[in-house]
C-alpha cells in the first residue's frame, strides 16, 4: 500500500510570494510513514526552502507523525503550511490525532536509545511548539520553524 500524494497545489501557491499548505491523512502503521516523509520532502522542495531548514522541518514532521501513529488513536493527519509573517516567514507543522492511546503506549519498549527523544528534537529545532486539545478529544501537536521569505 502506498501513501496518498500531497494535495496538489496551484502553481501560484508554490511561488515565494504567497503562502501554501498541504494536508495528508496518516496511515495507521509506522511502516507506511516513509511515503508521508517522501511526499513532505517533495512539497518542501517545491517551496524552495533552504536545504538546512527543509531538513529540520522534515525531522520535525517525522517525529510528530511517528508519535501520532505509535501513541495515539486514529484518525491522524499532517498539515504543513508556509506563510508570511511581519518578520519573514513561518513553516507550521501540525499533526492532529484521535487523542492518547494508553494501550499502544504500553506496547512500546522503554529503551531511551530508541524512544523518548522526539519531543526534545522538536523543541530544539522549532521556534515555538505546543499542543491543543479539542472538545472531541482530538489532540493537535504543532511546531513552527522560521523560514526566509523572498526578497
Amino acid at each position: 500500500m502506498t501513501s496518498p500524494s500531497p494535495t496538489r497545489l496551484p502553481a501560484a501557491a508554490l511561488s515565494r510570494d504567497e503562502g501554501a499548505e498541504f494536508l495528508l491523512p496518516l496511515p495507521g502503521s509506522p511502516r507506511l510513514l516513509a511515503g508521508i516523509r517522501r511526499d513532505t520532502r517533495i512539497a518542501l522542495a517545491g517551496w524552495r526552502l533552504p536545504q538546512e531548514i527543509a531538513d529540520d522541518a522534515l525531522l520535525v514532521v517525522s517525529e510528530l507523525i511517528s508519535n501520532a501513529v505509535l501513541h495515539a488513536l486514529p484518525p491522524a493527519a499532517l498539515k504543513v503550511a508556509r506563510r508570511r509573517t511581519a518578520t519573514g516567514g513561518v513553516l507550521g507543522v501540525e499533526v492532529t490525532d484521535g487523542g492518547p492511546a494508553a494501550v499502544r503506549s504500553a506496547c512500546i519498549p522503554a529503551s531511551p536509545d530508541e524512544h523518548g527523544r522526539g519531543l526534545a528534537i522538536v523543541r530544539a529545532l522549532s521556534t515555538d511548539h505546543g499542543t491543543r486539545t479539542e472538545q472531541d478529544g482530538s489532540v493537535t501537536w504543532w511546531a513552527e520553524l522560521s523560514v526566509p521569505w523572498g526578497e
Side-chain angles (χ1 to χ4, degrees), residues 13-143:
L14 295 176
S15 79
R16 295 181 74 81
D17 298 326
E18 299 181 28
E21 70 177 43
F22 68 92
L23 179 66
L24 293 172
L26 297 180
S29 169
R31 290 175 286 147
L32 300 176
L33 292 177
I36 300 296
R37 290 182 194 95
R38 180 195 64 239
D39 291 345
T40 302
R41 184 180 305 111
I42 291 167
L44 295 175
W47 293 345
R48 300 184 301 259
L49 295 176
Q51 190 62 49
E52 181 179 311
I53 293 172
D55 290 345
D56 287 352
L58 196 57
L59 189 51
V60 168
V61 165
S62 184
E63 294 300 335
L64 293 180
I65 65 176
S66 295
N67 283 348
V69 171
L70 291 172
H71 302 292
L73 296 170
L78 166 68
K79 177 181 174 183
V80 179
R82 178 179 160 263
R83 64 187 181 279
R84 185 185 294 259
T85 66
T87 59
V90 167
L91 184 71
V93 176
E94 294 186 0
V95 174
T96 301
D97 59 51
V103 173
R104 283 192 184 188
S105 297
C107 297
I108 305 300
S111 168
D113 292 338
E114 294 182 24
H115 299 283
R117 297 182 308 240
L119 293 180
I121 291 170
V122 170
R123 260 191 307 278
L125 296 176
S126 63
T127 55
D128 201 6
H129 62 90
T131 61
R132 288 189 310 270
T133 302
E134 308 299 335
Q135 287 184 336
D136 66 359
S138 64
V139 177
T140 298
W141 297 80
W142 59 270

